[in-house]
Amino acid sequence: MLLTFAPPASANAFGWSYLHPSGCCAQADNKDHYYNYSSLTSYMKVAGNYAMIKLDSQTDMATHYDSTPDKHTDVEMFDQYYDDYWGLDWDGSSTGKNIYAHAKCVRIISPGLINGWWKCDQYEIRFDLADMSRFSENERKKTACHEVGHTTGLDHSSQSDSCMKSGRSTVRTYTSHDVAHINGRF
């Protein structure tokens, strides 16, 4: 009798480790995600709030709105018309790849001797209004869900039913695989 074993799920990676530097995103520093979106346009506030509520309802993470952002705020969201912010080619004029939104760790915590995972104390999410103003409400919610997923440590997914899949779509939830990554760390 021949036994075969399925390989472990590889829909997406979680966290960035010096042992496994292929992951995109430093994981959140704890399960509480304090966020602020006060500078967003009204339609992006709807999307940002939706994404945080979805994270809270689907995972073990707890989200809290922080009306006065400071160094303790975990995620700050911004939107404007971007050209070359963070050195990224937002409109794709030089790279051929348009960037709708981007999450970036702006205050990282380096790993300790026991835990090899890089963690992020504070993320910023930027939404490009050149794209967001053309997107449907569900496409904006998908984009916000995707970027919030990066702030937990999720990388891009190959699963079509995950908001972590790259590209424009209306999928606005995390898969059980995404949730298992998040809940396994928090």
Side-chain angles (χ1 to χ4, degrees), residues 26-61:
Q27 74 182 58
D29 59 344
N30 61 58
K31 74 176 207 140
D32 288 308
H33 237 32
Y34 288 86
Y35 69 99
N36 180 278
Y37 57 44
S38 60
S39 70
L40 293 179
T41 57
S42 60
Y43 58 86
M44 286 312 301
K45 282 181 183 176
V46 169
N49 192 51
Y50 172 88
M52 287 305 212
I53 289 170
K54 185 56 64 177
L55 179 67
D56 190 85
S57 68
Q58 276 197 272
T59 71
D60 290 342
M61 292 192 80

Side-chain angles (χ1 to χ4, degrees), residues 17-92:
S17 165
Y18 59 79
L19 299 174
H20 306 285
S22 62
C24 84
C25 308
Q27 74 182 58
D29 59 344
N30 61 58
K31 74 176 207 140
D32 288 308
H33 237 32
Y34 288 86
Y35 69 99
N36 180 278
Y37 57 44
S38 60
S39 70
L40 293 179
T41 57
S42 60
Y43 58 86
M44 286 312 301
K45 282 181 183 176
V46 169
N49 192 51
Y50 172 88
M52 287 305 212
I53 289 170
K54 185 56 64 177
L55 179 67
D56 190 85
S57 68
Q58 276 197 272
T59 71
D60 290 342
M61 292 192 80
T63 61
H64 316 276
Y65 183 72
D66 184 355
S67 61
T68 54
D70 59 20
K71 66 181 183 172
H72 303 292
T73 307
D74 296 301
V75 179
E76 273 196 84
M77 299 180 200
F78 303 93
D79 61 3
Q80 67 183 52
Y81 292 90
Y82 295 109
D83 289 321
D84 188 28
Y85 198 85
W86 286 330
L88 300 172
D89 178 21
W90 289 80
D91 66 1

Side-chain angles (χ1 to χ4, degrees), residues 70-148:
D70 59 20
K71 66 181 183 172
H72 303 292
T73 307
D74 296 301
V75 179
E76 273 196 84
M77 299 180 200
F78 303 93
D79 61 3
Q80 67 183 52
Y81 292 90
Y82 295 109
D83 289 321
D84 188 28
Y85 198 85
W86 286 330
L88 300 172
D89 178 21
W90 289 80
D91 66 1
S93 59
S94 65
T95 63
K97 183 176 182 203
N98 187 34
I99 300 172
Y100 307 138
H102 189 74
K104 180 177 181 175
C105 181
V106 294
R107 194 165 49 244
I108 195 141
I109 302 168
S110 62
L113 294 175
I114 297 171
N115 180 354
W117 295 97
W118 290 81
K119 294 188 178 180
C120 186
D121 189 42
Q122 189 170 44
Y123 265 97
E124 285 184 10
I125 297 176
R126 303 275 172 171
F127 299 100
D128 188 4
L129 289 177
D131 298 303
M132 295 299 108
S133 62
R134 295 181 292 112
F135 280 21
S136 71
E137 181 176 334
N138 286 337
E139 288 171 322
R140 288 190 293 269
K141 287 178 178 178
K142 181 273 183 196
T143 303
C145 178
H146 181 96
E147 298 306 327
V148 167

